[in-house]
Amino acid sequence: MPLKNFEIRTDFADEWILNHQEDDSFTHHIMQKEGIDLHFIQILKEENSLHKQKGIYVTLAYEKMDDREARLKIASTLQFCIRELLEKMKVTPHKFLVVGLGNRMVASDALGPLVANEIMVTAHFYKDGNFDMKGTQEVAAIVPGVMGQTGIESGEIVKSIVDTYGPELVIVVDALATGSTARINRVIQLNSVGIIPGSGVGNHRMKLDEETLGVPVLSLGVATVISVAAIVKECVPQLDFEQLQEAHPFFHLVVTPKSIDVEMKQLCEILALALNRFLHPDFDKL
């Protein structure tokens, strides 16, 4: 691929708009809550200057999460954003399926499985219709694995379970790619358009969205990896394309920081707490 056509890989909507002037195809609103920067982006038209899918994207950017108080603030803000997004999606679900995408054997890709494992599931209690525990809702969680482990598309597994279980909302959790080293493990994104498993590392699989699954999908992800190309561009911005030509084969490599093991546990705590509190209104009392 010619280097001049190379694009820095990022899954984050607020990074897409950095090099675009605002026009009538999308809106961008910024606010702060609990000291956390929130970006609300809505792509209004199928044909848009960002060349992205029409829908709503929300990102949370924070500076630290290494103490309990900071993580509680992030979780509280994330819970707020989930509610705001669902209100904008105009859905009021009471039966949920949480899908933890990724490979639990790879540190930077284990976010989905780790979070799904911490979700308080209640679907088996609700199954006979006699369960009535106030402050809870009907929730199931799955970890479909990756094709290299199962031989089956994650999307096909999820679709089969959706058809059988019949959730009113699917919440998909996955690891994402950022274009900035400062944002690794420091930015969370929600969207209303779904997700393509493996897209963060360029390994595109079957998309998980309302069209393919038949129910609304809320996608939730964290920046855990960055491409070598993004690092080089950030560190040596004055280099031109011809100077980088020799290094081009390595630009497709995706890396993660050595602190990923510790920070993945912190991220799991944040996402699982926010989701459990959202899914079960009385979670803290149970």
PDB file of all heavy atoms in Angstrom, residues 239-258:
ATOM      1  N   LEU A 239       8.766  14.415  10.026  1.00  0.00           N
ATOM      2  CA  LEU A 239       9.168  13.469   8.986  1.00  0.00           C
ATOM      3  C   LEU A 239       8.106  13.408   7.901  1.00  0.00           C
ATOM      4  O   LEU A 239       6.905  13.406   8.173  1.00  0.00           O
ATOM      5  CB  LEU A 239       9.359  12.078   9.589  1.00  0.00           C
ATOM      6  CG  LEU A 239      10.555  11.893  10.536  1.00  0.00           C
ATOM      7  CD1 LEU A 239      10.596  10.448  11.018  1.00  0.00           C
ATOM      8  CD2 LEU A 239      11.855  12.260   9.858  1.00  0.00           C
ATOM      9  N   ASP A 240       8.552  13.351   6.648  1.00  0.00           N
ATOM     10  CA  ASP A 240       7.590  13.245   5.552  1.00  0.00           C
ATOM     11  C   ASP A 240       7.439  11.784   5.150  1.00  0.00           C
ATOM     12  O   ASP A 240       8.134  10.899   5.630  1.00  0.00           O
ATOM     13  CB  ASP A 240       7.999  14.109   4.351  1.00  0.00           C
ATOM     14  CG  ASP A 240       9.360  13.727   3.780  1.00  0.00           C
ATOM     15  OD1 ASP A 240       9.717  12.533   3.843  1.00  0.00           O
ATOM     16  OD2 ASP A 240      10.054  14.617   3.273  1.00  0.00           O
ATOM     17  N   PHE A 241       6.499  11.534   4.251  1.00  0.00           N
ATOM     18  CA  PHE A 241       6.164  10.162   3.861  1.00  0.00           C
ATOM     19  C   PHE A 241       7.354   9.420   3.262  1.00  0.00           C
ATOM     20  O   PHE A 241       7.561   8.247   3.531  1.00  0.00           O
ATOM     21  CB  PHE A 241       5.006  10.180   2.859  1.00  0.00           C
ATOM     22  CG  PHE A 241       3.694  10.575   3.476  1.00  0.00           C
ATOM     23  CD1 PHE A 241       2.836  11.440   2.826  1.00  0.00           C
ATOM     24  CD2 PHE A 241       3.327  10.083   4.719  1.00  0.00           C
ATOM     25  CE1 PHE A 241       1.631  11.806   3.400  1.00  0.00           C
ATOM     26  CE2 PHE A 241       2.122  10.444   5.300  1.00  0.00           C
ATOM     27  CZ  PHE A 241       1.273  11.313   4.637  1.00  0.00           C
ATOM     28  N   GLU A 242       8.167  10.106   2.424  1.00  0.00           N
ATOM     29  CA  GLU A 242       9.279   9.422   1.777  1.00  0.00           C
ATOM     30  C   GLU A 242      10.320   8.988   2.804  1.00  0.00           C
ATOM     31  O   GLU A 242      10.925   7.924   2.672  1.00  0.00           O
ATOM     32  CB  GLU A 242       9.901  10.331   0.716  1.00  0.00           C
ATOM     33  CG  GLU A 242       9.003  10.523  -0.501  1.00  0.00           C
ATOM     34  CD  GLU A 242       9.735  11.212  -1.627  1.00  0.00           C
ATOM     35  OE1 GLU A 242      10.964  11.382  -1.527  1.00  0.00           O
ATOM     36  OE2 GLU A 242       9.073  11.572  -2.611  1.00  0.00           O
ATOM     37  N   GLN A 243      10.533   9.797   3.833  1.00  0.00           N
ATOM     38  CA  GLN A 243      11.487   9.441   4.875  1.00  0.00           C
ATOM     39  C   GLN A 243      11.021   8.214   5.664  1.00  0.00           C
ATOM     40  O   GLN A 243      11.829   7.470   6.205  1.00  0.00           O
ATOM     41  CB  GLN A 243      11.688  10.618   5.833  1.00  0.00           C
ATOM     42  CG  GLN A 243      12.475  11.780   5.243  1.00  0.00           C
ATOM     43  CD  GLN A 243      12.535  12.941   6.212  1.00  0.00           C
ATOM     44  OE1 GLN A 243      11.513  13.477   6.604  1.00  0.00           O
ATOM     45  NE2 GLN A 243      13.740  13.337   6.587  1.00  0.00           N
ATOM     46  N   LEU A 244       9.718   8.022   5.710  1.00  0.00           N
ATOM     47  CA  LEU A 244       9.160   6.904   6.470  1.00  0.00           C
ATOM     48  C   LEU A 244       8.973   5.650   5.624  1.00  0.00           C
ATOM     49  O   LEU A 244       8.584   4.607   6.140  1.00  0.00           O
ATOM     50  CB  LEU A 244       7.801   7.307   7.057  1.00  0.00           C
ATOM     51  CG  LEU A 244       7.835   8.444   8.080  1.00  0.00           C
ATOM     52  CD1 LEU A 244       6.423   8.835   8.467  1.00  0.00           C
ATOM     53  CD2 LEU A 244       8.604   8.033   9.314  1.00  0.00           C
ATOM     54  N   GLN A 245       9.250   5.748   4.313  1.00  0.00           N
ATOM     55  CA  GLN A 245       8.963   4.643   3.406  1.00  0.00           C
ATOM     56  C   GLN A 245       9.627   3.341   3.851  1.00  0.00           C
ATOM     57  O   GLN A 245       9.025   2.269   3.812  1.00  0.00           O
ATOM     58  CB  GLN A 245       9.431   5.002   1.991  1.00  0.00           C
ATOM     59  CG  GLN A 245       9.062   3.982   0.917  1.00  0.00           C
ATOM     60  CD  GLN A 245       7.583   4.004   0.616  1.00  0.00           C
ATOM     61  OE1 GLN A 245       7.011   5.047   0.366  1.00  0.00           O
ATOM     62  NE2 GLN A 245       6.962   2.846   0.637  1.00  0.00           N
ATOM     63  N   GLU A 246      10.873   3.425   4.313  1.00  0.00           N
ATOM     64  CA  GLU A 246      11.604   2.222   4.701  1.00  0.00           C
ATOM     65  C   GLU A 246      10.973   1.540   5.911  1.00  0.00           C
ATOM     66  O   GLU A 246      11.001   0.323   6.039  1.00  0.00           O
ATOM     67  CB  GLU A 246      13.064   2.573   5.000  1.00  0.00           C
ATOM     68  CG  GLU A 246      13.920   1.351   5.279  1.00  0.00           C
ATOM     69  CD  GLU A 246      15.374   1.727   5.485  1.00  0.00           C
ATOM     70  OE1 GLU A 246      15.746   2.873   5.134  1.00  0.00           O
ATOM     71  OE2 GLU A 246      16.130   0.883   5.991  1.00  0.00           O
ATOM     72  N   ALA A 247      10.388   2.344   6.802  1.00  0.00           N
ATOM     73  CA  ALA A 247       9.779   1.794   8.017  1.00  0.00           C
ATOM     74  C   ALA A 247       8.337   1.353   7.805  1.00  0.00           C
ATOM     75  O   ALA A 247       7.744   0.752   8.683  1.00  0.00           O
ATOM     76  CB  ALA A 247       9.818   2.835   9.139  1.00  0.00           C
ATOM     77  N   HIS A 248       7.838   1.604   6.624  1.00  0.00           N
ATOM     78  CA  HIS A 248       6.416   1.362   6.364  1.00  0.00           C
ATOM     79  C   HIS A 248       5.923  -0.036   6.721  1.00  0.00           C
ATOM     80  O   HIS A 248       4.847  -0.177   7.300  1.00  0.00           O
ATOM     81  CB  HIS A 248       6.105   1.679   4.900  1.00  0.00           C
ATOM     82  CG  HIS A 248       4.680   1.508   4.523  1.00  0.00           C
ATOM     83  ND1 HIS A 248       4.282   0.982   3.316  1.00  0.00           N
ATOM     84  CD2 HIS A 248       3.536   1.771   5.195  1.00  0.00           C
ATOM     85  CE1 HIS A 248       2.965   0.932   3.268  1.00  0.00           C
ATOM     86  NE2 HIS A 248       2.487   1.411   4.378  1.00  0.00           N
ATOM     87  N   PRO A 249       6.652  -1.120   6.419  1.00  0.00           N
ATOM     88  CA  PRO A 249       6.149  -2.462   6.755  1.00  0.00           C
ATOM     89  C   PRO A 249       5.833  -2.649   8.232  1.00  0.00           C
ATOM     90  O   PRO A 249       5.020  -3.501   8.590  1.00  0.00           O
ATOM     91  CB  PRO A 249       7.296  -3.379   6.309  1.00  0.00           C
ATOM     92  CG  PRO A 249       8.011  -2.606   5.254  1.00  0.00           C
ATOM     93  CD  PRO A 249       7.935  -1.185   5.698  1.00  0.00           C
ATOM     94  N   PHE A 250       6.454  -1.864   9.095  1.00  0.00           N
ATOM     95  CA  PHE A 250       6.239  -2.010  10.526  1.00  0.00           C
ATOM     96  C   PHE A 250       5.102  -1.136  11.049  1.00  0.00           C
ATOM     97  O   PHE A 250       4.728  -1.238  12.207  1.00  0.00           O
ATOM     98  CB  PHE A 250       7.527  -1.676  11.289  1.00  0.00           C
ATOM     99  CG  PHE A 250       8.689  -2.537  10.893  1.00  0.00           C
ATOM    100  CD1 PHE A 250       9.661  -2.049  10.039  1.00  0.00           C
ATOM    101  CD2 PHE A 250       8.800  -3.850  11.356  1.00  0.00           C
ATOM    102  CE1 PHE A 250      10.727  -2.850   9.658  1.00  0.00           C
ATOM    103  CE2 PHE A 250       9.860  -4.644  10.982  1.00  0.00           C
ATOM    104  CZ  PHE A 250      10.832  -4.151  10.123  1.00  0.00           C
ATOM    105  N   PHE A 251       4.551  -0.301  10.179  1.00  0.00           N
ATOM    106  CA  PHE A 251       3.510   0.614  10.618  1.00  0.00           C
ATOM    107  C   PHE A 251       2.233  -0.106  11.021  1.00  0.00           C
ATOM    108  O   PHE A 251       1.413   0.427  11.747  1.00  0.00           O
ATOM    109  CB  PHE A 251       3.203   1.636   9.520  1.00  0.00           C
ATOM    110  CG  PHE A 251       4.089   2.848   9.586  1.00  0.00           C
ATOM    111  CD1 PHE A 251       5.329   2.789  10.192  1.00  0.00           C
ATOM    112  CD2 PHE A 251       3.670   4.047   9.040  1.00  0.00           C
ATOM    113  CE1 PHE A 251       6.144   3.895  10.254  1.00  0.00           C
ATOM    114  CE2 PHE A 251       4.490   5.165   9.110  1.00  0.00           C
ATOM    115  CZ  PHE A 251       5.724   5.094   9.710  1.00  0.00           C
ATOM    116  N   HIS A 252       2.055  -1.315  10.548  1.00  0.00           N
ATOM    117  CA  HIS A 252       0.827  -2.042  10.851  1.00  0.00           C
ATOM    118  C   HIS A 252       0.890  -2.741  12.209  1.00  0.00           C
ATOM    119  O   HIS A 252      -0.112  -3.275  12.677  1.00  0.00           O
ATOM    120  CB  HIS A 252       0.532  -3.070   9.745  1.00  0.00           C
ATOM    121  CG  HIS A 252       0.223  -2.424   8.428  1.00  0.00           C
ATOM    122  ND1 HIS A 252      -0.989  -1.835   8.167  1.00  0.00           N
ATOM    123  CD2 HIS A 252       0.966  -2.264   7.317  1.00  0.00           C
ATOM    124  CE1 HIS A 252      -0.982  -1.339   6.938  1.00  0.00           C
ATOM    125  NE2 HIS A 252       0.194  -1.593   6.396  1.00  0.00           N
ATOM    126  N   LEU A 253       2.069  -2.750  12.841  1.00  0.00           N
ATOM    127  CA  LEU A 253       2.178  -3.354  14.163  1.00  0.00           C
ATOM    128  C   LEU A 253       1.356  -2.560  15.176  1.00  0.00           C
ATOM    129  O   LEU A 253       1.280  -1.335  15.119  1.00  0.00           O
ATOM    130  CB  LEU A 253       3.635  -3.399  14.604  1.00  0.00           C
ATOM    131  CG  LEU A 253       4.570  -4.337  13.835  1.00  0.00           C
ATOM    132  CD1 LEU A 253       5.994  -4.199  14.368  1.00  0.00           C
ATOM    133  CD2 LEU A 253       4.108  -5.775  13.933  1.00  0.00           C
ATOM    134  N   VAL A 254       0.746  -3.278  16.117  1.00  0.00           N
ATOM    135  CA  VAL A 254      -0.046  -2.654  17.172  1.00  0.00           C
ATOM    136  C   VAL A 254       0.582  -3.027  18.510  1.00  0.00           C
ATOM    137  O   VAL A 254       0.895  -4.195  18.747  1.00  0.00           O
ATOM    138  CB  VAL A 254      -1.509  -3.132  17.108  1.00  0.00           C
ATOM    139  CG1 VAL A 254      -2.306  -2.589  18.279  1.00  0.00           C
ATOM    140  CG2 VAL A 254      -2.153  -2.682  15.802  1.00  0.00           C
ATOM    141  N   VAL A 255       0.770  -2.030  19.382  1.00  0.00           N
ATOM    142  CA  VAL A 255       1.462  -2.273  20.646  1.00  0.00           C
ATOM    143  C   VAL A 255       0.626  -1.789  21.823  1.00  0.00           C
ATOM    144  O   VAL A 255      -0.347  -1.045  21.663  1.00  0.00           O
ATOM    145  CB  VAL A 255       2.846  -1.576  20.656  1.00  0.00           C
ATOM    146  CG1 VAL A 255       3.742  -2.169  19.593  1.00  0.00           C
ATOM    147  CG2 VAL A 255       2.692  -0.065  20.453  1.00  0.00           C
ATOM    148  N   THR A 256       1.047  -2.205  23.014  1.00  0.00           N
ATOM    149  CA  THR A 256       0.357  -1.832  24.244  1.00  0.00           C
ATOM    150  C   THR A 256       1.415  -1.589  25.318  1.00  0.00           C
ATOM    151  O   THR A 256       2.534  -2.138  25.221  1.00  0.00           O
ATOM    152  CB  THR A 256      -0.618  -2.951  24.673  1.00  0.00           C
ATOM    153  OG1 THR A 256      -1.533  -2.462  25.658  1.00  0.00           O
ATOM    154  CG2 THR A 256       0.116  -4.160  25.232  1.00  0.00           C
ATOM    155  N   PRO A 257       1.154  -0.769  26.344  1.00  0.00           N
ATOM    156  CA  PRO A 257       2.171  -0.478  27.358  1.00  0.00           C
ATOM    157  C   PRO A 257       2.436  -1.664  28.283  1.00  0.00           C
ATOM    158  O   PRO A 257       1.588  -2.548  28.439  1.00  0.00           O
ATOM    159  CB  PRO A 257       1.576   0.702  28.134  1.00  0.00           C
ATOM    160  CG  PRO A 257       0.108   0.556  27.948  1.00  0.00           C
ATOM    161  CD  PRO A 257      -0.072   0.018  26.554  1.00  0.00           C
ATOM    162  N   LYS A 258       3.585  -1.676  28.928  1.00  0.00           N
ATOM    163  CA  LYS A 258       3.952  -2.781  29.816  1.00  0.00           C
ATOM    164  C   LYS A 258       3.097  -2.794  31.080  1.00  0.00           C
ATOM    165  O   LYS A 258       3.047  -3.806  31.787  1.00  0.00           O
ATOM    166  CB  LYS A 258       5.435  -2.715  30.180  1.00  0.00           C
ATOM    167  CG  LYS A 258       5.850  -1.490  30.963  1.00  0.00           C
ATOM    168  CD  LYS A 258       7.349  -1.527  31.252  1.00  0.00           C
ATOM    169  CE  LYS A 258       7.796  -0.316  32.064  1.00  0.00           C
ATOM    170  NZ  LYS A 258       9.263  -0.330  32.332  1.00  0.00           N
TER     171      LYS A 258
END
